[in-house]
């Protein structure tokens, strides 16, 4: 995935925050295949995984999530689910969504914590989130967002 990050001009920036400047060395997929983990049975001890990725993410290829899910399964992780959310960008759930009054992460997590029916009921009872910024400001932030 480092090639993709380099192609969009983010790799040099991110790699400066990584140990030894090696972004790829911190890749979960690469770590799963490292001799320290591969074949140890460690993945069999992992809790359930629910990975989600935005289909409109231009920063990180969607395949990085689906490939990682498959690698977890092959390594022995028993419960792995990968979900690709249509129209969701890389920063939408963290920046634009909350700024616009949408708590996407709560909507994603509650069904796994409470079950589908209880989550629907809880979400229905939650107070409506307020927009933090006017829509044009959020649109501008989304357009300017490097991720």
């Amino acid at each position: 995935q480092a090639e993709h990050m380099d192609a969009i001009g983010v790799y040099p920036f991110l790699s400066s925050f990584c140990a030894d400047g090696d972004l790829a060395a911190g890749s979960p997929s690469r770590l799963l295949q490292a001799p320290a983990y591969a074949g140890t049975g460690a993945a069999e001890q992992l809790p359930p995984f629910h990975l989600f990725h935005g289909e409109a993410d231009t920063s990180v290829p969607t395949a990085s999530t689906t490939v990682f899910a498959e690698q977890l399964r092959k390594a022995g992780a028993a419960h792995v689910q990968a979900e690709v959310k249509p129209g969701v960008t890389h920063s939408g759930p963290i920046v634009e969504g909350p700024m616009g009054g949408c708590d996407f992460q709560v909507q994603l997590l509650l069904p796994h914590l409470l079950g589908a029916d209880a989550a629907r009921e809880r979400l229905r009872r939650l107070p409506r989130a307020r927009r933090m910024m006017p829509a044009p400001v959020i649109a501008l932030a989304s357009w300017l967002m490097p991720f």
Side-chain angles (χ1 to χ4, degrees), residues 62-109:
T62 305
S64 66
T65 297
T66 55
V67 166
F68 181 52
E70 186 56 37
Q71 288 173 337
L72 281 167
R73 288 184 201 102
K74 285 181 181 175
H79 304 285
V80 180
Q81 181 180 358
E83 181 178 1
V84 177
K85 293 285 199 182
V88 175
T89 64
H90 188 76
S91 60
I94 302 165
V95 180
E96 295 96 324
M99 285 175 56
C102 175
D103 202 340
F104 183 76
Q105 294 182 56
V106 169
Q107 295 170 13
L108 178 71
L109 293 173

Side-chain angles (χ1 to χ4, degrees), residues 25-88:
S27 161
S29 293
R30 187 173 276 182
L31 290 172
L32 265 180
Q33 298 166 2
Y37 299 104
T40 64
E44 296 169 10
Q45 305 302 314
L46 292 170
F49 272 80
H50 183 99
L51 307 171
F52 81 95
H53 200 111
E55 169 269 332
D57 186 340
T58 58
S59 298
V60 178
T62 305
S64 66
T65 297
T66 55
V67 166
F68 181 52
E70 186 56 37
Q71 288 173 337
L72 281 167
R73 288 184 201 102
K74 285 181 181 175
H79 304 285
V80 180
Q81 181 180 358
E83 181 178 1
V84 177
K85 293 285 199 182
V88 175

